[in-house]
Amino acid sequence: MRRGVLVFVIAGVFSFVAWSFRDPEMVTGTLERLSPRVVLALLLVLSANEAIKAIRWAWYLRAAQLPLRFRDSITSYLAAQAASALPGGSILSARLAKEHAKGRIGLRHTAPPLIAQGLGDVFAVALLALIGIAASPQPNAQLVAPVAALILALLLITIARSERSGTALVGVLRRWRLTRRLVPVEEDARRTLVALLNGRALIPGTMTSIASSLCAVAILIMLANALTVRGLAPLEGLYVHGMSMLAHLFLPVPNGFGTTEIGLVGLLNWIGIGFGRATAIAITYRALGNGFRTLIGLAVLLLRYHHLIQLRSPAQPVPTTLLDVASEASD
């Protein structure tokens, strides 16, 4: 784990430099046009957004009935943002949460909340997209995308909660010696996931996802109003953010690289903001988000988890399951 955290720190710094400032002239030029008041407002909203998402992560861990303190759940999320720009970087939050339990729980317990969190995000952005399309002069044919996302999310929840599908998966795993040892782990992970896929856990989680999405909409509106004469109306902000995030969540691109920017540029251009301004808004929006999260994550990781950042790691016990083998291999 220690070497893994060190790799994430290095990769996080590299990602911040390479991704957030891959077009420094556009980003810095755009930021220079913003007044200090707008920059301060953006930083406040970015901070509120990260706080909301940290509380959401803590909620899902609590709903899974894991023996973790609220403070530890919060810091495990914030520190993991050091790897937020990396494909699969969110798994670091599950790894750090597991470390706080001191061996009482495993990755099979802390990973299912990531799935529940993702489904809550789908519900949130689909609902915002529906509101934005229905309440603004957008073609009704676009309603297909958010409605399909809601149906797919409900279908996935139904399959995950189904005893028949769980039994079928266990039967498949038991056929081969290589996967037979995964059966107890899969059953344990599935119990945790089923405990999260109910209204008592998903509804509050989805509400926090909606609050987080509204923060992202506010950032888009502030950037558009500061950089264009036309500006961006609140309902248009809901539409642009909701539809671009649906593309981010469902297109098979690691971490949504390029899909969010292309979606934002296309949608902003569609509603009447010129292509050049739309590009500046989209790239600045992503650079601010990735850069802010990475810096916050590095700060919390170095302050709260500095004891994990060592070049040498003590001897580890031999893993007893293939999931643990894969987990240790990632270190």
Side-chain angles (χ1 to χ4, degrees), residues 308-321:
L308 297 177
I309 305 172
Q310 299 177 8
L311 290 176
R312 287 190 176 182
S313 134
Q316 299 292 329
V318 177
T320 57
T321 67

Side-chain angles (χ1 to χ4, degrees), residues 71-150:
R71 181 185 68 179
D72 295 335
S73 300
I74 292 291
T75 58
S76 68
Y77 171 82
L78 293 176
Q81 298 313 292
S84 62
L86 296 174
S90 60
I91 196 66
L92 181 58
S93 57
R95 289 301 307 269
L96 292 176
K98 167 184 170 250
E99 291 294 312
H100 284 296
K102 302 184 184 302
R104 289 175 291 171
I105 59 176
L107 192 61
R108 61 186 180 274
H109 300 106
T110 55
L114 291 174
I115 300 174
Q117 179 177 276
L119 290 170
D121 286 344
V122 172
F123 283 122
V125 297
L127 289 173
L128 292 183
L130 280 173
I131 294 172
I133 294 171
S136 61
Q138 303 300 330
N140 290 334
Q142 295 189 24
L143 291 171
V144 172
V147 169
L150 290 173

Side-chain angles (χ1 to χ4, degrees), residues 6 23 122 184 210 224 236:
L6 180 61
D23 194 348
V122 172
I210 291 175
E236 291 175 333

Side-chain angles (χ1 to χ4, degrees), residues 20-323:
S20 298
F21 294 99
R22 67 194 187 286
D23 194 348
E25 292 183 0
M26 177 173 288
V27 175
T28 56
T30 301
L31 292 176
E32 287 173 357
R33 299 187 57 184
L34 303 178
S35 67
R37 183 176 179 180
V38 173
V39 173
L40 178 60
L42 287 171
L43 292 176
L44 290 175
V45 177
L46 284 167
S47 300
N49 193 14
E50 292 308 304
I52 290 170
K53 289 192 285 188
I55 292 172
R56 176 187 62 187
W57 173 244
W59 164 254
Y60 281 117
L61 291 177
R62 180 180 178 182
Q65 300 180 349
L66 301 180
L68 296 170
R69 295 181 299 178
F70 180 76
R71 181 185 68 179
D72 295 335
S73 300
I74 292 291
T75 58
S76 68
Y77 171 82
L78 293 176
Q81 298 313 292
S84 62
L86 296 174
S90 60
I91 196 66
L92 181 58
S93 57
R95 289 301 307 269
L96 292 176
K98 167 184 170 250
E99 291 294 312
H100 284 296
K102 302 184 184 302
R104 289 175 291 171
I105 59 176
L107 192 61
R108 61 186 180 274
H109 300 106
T110 55
L114 291 174
I115 300 174
Q117 179 177 276
L119 290 170
D121 286 344
V122 172
F123 283 122
V125 297
L127 289 173
L128 292 183
L130 280 173
I131 294 172
I133 294 171
S136 61
Q138 303 300 330
N140 290 334
Q142 295 189 24
L143 291 171
V144 172
V147 169
L150 290 173
I151 293 173
L152 180 59
L154 290 172
L155 180 62
L156 291 174
I157 291 174
T158 301
I159 294 173
R161 289 180 57 87
S162 170
E163 288 291 340
R164 179 177 296 179
S165 63
T167 302
L169 178 59
V170 168
V172 171
L173 293 176
R174 282 177 173 160
R175 290 181 182 178
W176 297 282
R177 181 182 301 177
L178 182 64
T179 57
R180 196 169 297 145
R181 296 174 62 189
L182 284 175
V183 170
V185 175
E186 189 279 333
E187 291 178 334
D188 203 7
R190 185 175 175 278
R191 281 194 295 269
T192 303
L193 181 60
V194 169
L196 293 171
L197 298 183
N198 58 65
R200 288 176 296 178
L202 277 178
I203 291 176
T206 301
M207 295 301 294
T208 56
S209 291
I210 291 175
S212 174
S213 294
L214 291 176
C215 288
V217 171
I219 294 170
L220 274 175
I221 292 174
M222 284 190 283
L223 286 174
N225 291 346
L227 297 174
T228 66
V229 175
R230 180 193 183 281
L232 190 65
L235 289 176
E236 291 175 333
L238 293 180
Y239 164 69
V240 170
H241 173 74
M243 294 296 283
S244 63
M245 282 304 298
L246 284 177
H248 167 83
L249 291 172
F250 284 102
L251 290 180
V253 178
N255 212 30
F257 286 144
T259 57
T260 301
E261 288 87 344
I262 293 173
L264 284 174
V265 171
L267 290 167
L268 289 171
N269 193 44
W270 168 266
I271 64 175
I273 294 178
F275 181 81
R277 298 290 186 188
T279 302
I281 292 170
I283 291 179
T284 305
Y285 170 79
R286 283 285 276 178
L288 281 176
N290 285 335
F292 187 83
R293 285 193 297 272
T294 301
L295 290 177
I296 290 293
L298 288 172
V300 177
L301 190 61
L302 293 171
L303 292 174
R304 182 75 169 84
Y305 301 95
H306 58 87
H307 60 286
L308 297 177
I309 305 172
Q310 299 177 8
L311 290 176
R312 287 190 176 182
S313 134
Q316 299 292 329
V318 177
T320 57
T321 67
L322 290 181
L323 181 61

